[in-house]
Amino acid sequence: MKLKTIVVFLLAIWLAPKFVEKTTSFIGTKSLLAFGIGALACVATIILSFALLCSYIGIPLAFAIIALFALMLSISFATATISITTKIKEKFKFEKKYLTCITLVVVTLVLWALQQIPYAGGIISLIITLFGFGVLVLSIFSKKAKKKNVEVKE
């Protein structure tokens, strides 16, 4: 079982609860957008890192980008799982935290089992990883909703 998913979920709930809530918006209509952004960001990061490695001045920056890229890729499966779990939690209106944890374990096991299918498992794993990476990228670079002050006229 992917223990890393549970650790990332618990850290996300503790350190960034708004991120966990925001990930549900990428399930459904925006899931293809998140997948596309994830694929594009992966390709762009690799090209940018290679271009920076070719210059003497950009080598430290390239290594920093590669390290950040590796970190984000390593937690992208967990991000996709968190996104699916939170959407299921909203759909069935779970109020208890232990039900959310059980749902997370079940979703993680189902996704892990899908990854074990011969030939198709690699493609499923790639789709899940790119979707999770897209959710991370969109969450980092999305515009924050600005609250407008509404004046009441009498």
Side-chain angles (χ1 to χ4, degrees), residues 28-120:
T29 57
K30 290 186 178 180
S31 59
L32 192 59
L33 173 70
F35 173 76
I37 294 292
L40 186 65
C42 282
V43 171
T45 304
I46 292 168
I47 291 172
L48 177 69
S49 297
F50 183 72
L52 285 172
L53 280 173
C54 291
S55 72
Y56 181 72
I57 297 172
I59 291 174
L61 182 60
F63 283 127
I65 290 173
I66 291 170
L68 183 64
F69 178 63
L71 176 69
M72 288 178 67
L73 271 181
S74 69
I75 64 170
S76 63
F77 179 86
T79 305
T81 307
I82 289 169
S83 184
I84 294 168
T85 300
T86 313
K87 189 66 170 185
I88 291 172
K89 176 186 169 188
E90 279 184 1
K91 179 114 176 139
F92 292 108
K93 297 180 176 123
F94 294 149
E95 296 296 325
K96 310 249 185 218
K97 295 198 186 266
Y98 74 91
L99 289 175
T100 305
C101 290
I102 291 172
T103 306
L104 177 74
V105 170
V106 169
V107 168
T108 303
L109 287 174
V110 167
L111 291 179
W112 175 80
L114 287 174
Q115 288 179 333
Q116 302 307 312
I117 299 172
Y119 303 110

Side-chain angles (χ1 to χ4, degrees), residues 2 4-6 8-9 12 19 23 26-27 34-35 37-39 41-42 67-85 104 107-108 111 115 124-140:
K2 299 208 175 213
K4 179 174 56 174
T5 303
I6 297 169
V8 169
F9 179 70
F19 168 75
T23 60
F26 299 110
I27 296 288
F35 173 76
I37 294 292
C42 282
L68 183 64
F69 178 63
L71 176 69
M72 288 178 67
L73 271 181
S74 69
I75 64 170
S76 63
F77 179 86
T79 305
T81 307
I82 289 169
S83 184
I84 294 168
T85 300
L104 177 74
V107 168
T108 303
L111 291 179
Q115 288 179 333
I124 291 169
S125 179
L126 179 68
I127 290 170
I128 292 169
T129 303
L130 290 178
F131 171 73
F133 191 72
V135 168
L136 280 172
V137 170
L138 285 171
S139 295
I140 291 170

